[in-house]
Amino acid sequence: WQEPLTEGAVILRRRARDMAGELMAQVGQIAAQNPFEHRITPGGHRMSVAMTNCGDLGWSTDSRGYQYSDQDEASGQRWPAMPASFRNLATTCAAEAGFSGFHPDACLINRYEPGAKLTLHQDKDERDLRQPIVSVSLGLPAVFLFGGFERSDACQRVLLEQGDVVVWGGSSRLRYHGILPLKPGIHPLTGAFRFNLTFRRAR
Ligand code: MD3
Ligand code: FE
């Protein structure tokens, strides 16, 4: 079922639940080629979230900043191809939320371990901010913080669970958002972790 969150943002609850096993199998294959890594931010902090990517472009951060690149700067390797199942899910869900013609060229895969969090931030490294972002949550649940257009604005809290898909478009695209520290647990599919896929049109 669809729940509007705010202008431009739609939660498709459990939309990907039946595909979760296949999606995680693909994540495993991608990680076998390009392992999850804890990147160091330009400010010198090690991120508690571990990341990898698939697709033509991947997002990462290092001492020089935040960027999309066609290769993993750490390994010098191209990112693994985006599986067709990933691409189709993202395009279909975007269309269901009213964003037809979404063709992602980047998929960032975040892995959360107990205590891992994402502090409030905006996603604005993509060229065309009229393109939505589609996110898919897998494994352990997490509390998502959804704020306003200033870091200090009040936040809504939304629990994101296995299979939940959210399409972030319109004016919601530039809202501050983050993830509270992951509560420890064991999930039948992902064990001690939460994974999040974010599909983006970077260029
Ligand atoms: C709202 N990831 O990778 S997904 C990120 O669960 C990121 O790993 C979180 O924020 C995660 O940048 C949240 C939901 C999400 C993704 C992108 C957004 C919400 C968003 C972009 C704009 C507004
Ligand atoms: Fe984000």
Side-chain angles (χ1 to χ4, degrees):
W1 64 103
Q2 289 204 10
E3 276 172 53
L5 200 51
T6 180
E7 198 197 318
V10 182
I11 309 191
L12 307 174
R13 288 274 180 214
R14 305 296 199 182
R15 177 66 179 72
R17 188 162 55 170
D18 294 346
M19 304 168 56
E22 292 155 55
L23 294 172
M24 277 309 304
Q26 298 281 8
V27 168
Q29 294 201 9
I30 291 161
Q33 292 171 253
N34 252 99
F36 284 98
E37 287 193 43
H38 295 271
R39 312 258 172 209
I40 310 292
T41 67
H45 298 285
R46 176 184 186 267
M47 293 188 76
S48 57
V49 177
M51 301 176 166
T52 187
N53 290 272
C54 65
D56 293 339
L57 293 166
W59 186 91
S60 65
T61 178
D62 62 16
S63 58
R64 290 166 307 187
Y66 306 96
Q67 57 173 346
Y68 282 99
S69 169
D70 62 4
Q71 58 185 37
D72 180 352
E73 303 296 337
S75 67
Q77 300 230 58
R78 302 287 310 253
W79 303 107
M82 194 185 301
S85 57
F86 280 29
R87 191 184 305 279
N88 294 339
L89 177 66
T91 298
T92 308
C93 289
E96 288 173 14
F99 298 92
S100 59
F102 176 61
H103 298 291
D105 55 11
C107 175
L108 170 65
I109 309 175
N110 291 333
R111 187 188 71 190
Y112 294 76
E113 58 198 60
K117 63 181 167 44
L118 207 52
T119 55
L120 283 179
H121 67 279
Q122 291 172 297
D123 287 26
K124 49 183 185 184
D125 297 326
E126 300 76 27
R127 180 175 292 166
D128 181 359
L129 297 175
R130 293 168 306 185
Q131 294 283 332
I133 291 179
V134 176
S135 78
V136 181
S137 293
L138 297 165
L140 290 177
V143 178
F144 174 73
L145 295 176
F146 197 35
F149 300 104
E150 312 265 4
R151 190 182 295 277
S152 57
D153 288 348
C155 289
Q156 286 187 66
R157 289 169 180 231
V158 182
L159 190 69
L160 292 179
E161 297 176 272
Q162 158 118 311
D164 287 347
V165 175
V166 194
V167 181
W168 314 89
S171 63
S172 78
R173 188 65 179 71
L174 280 173
R175 284 182 185 262
Y176 275 90
H177 59 277
I179 293 282
L180 288 184
L182 192 78
K183 270 180 54 180
I186 296 293
H187 189 278
L189 183 62
T190 64
F193 297 107
R194 168 181 188 257
F195 293 85
N196 183 264
L197 317 178
T198 51
F199 295 93
R200 300 138 187 276
R201 182 81 204 182
R203 291 204 184 132

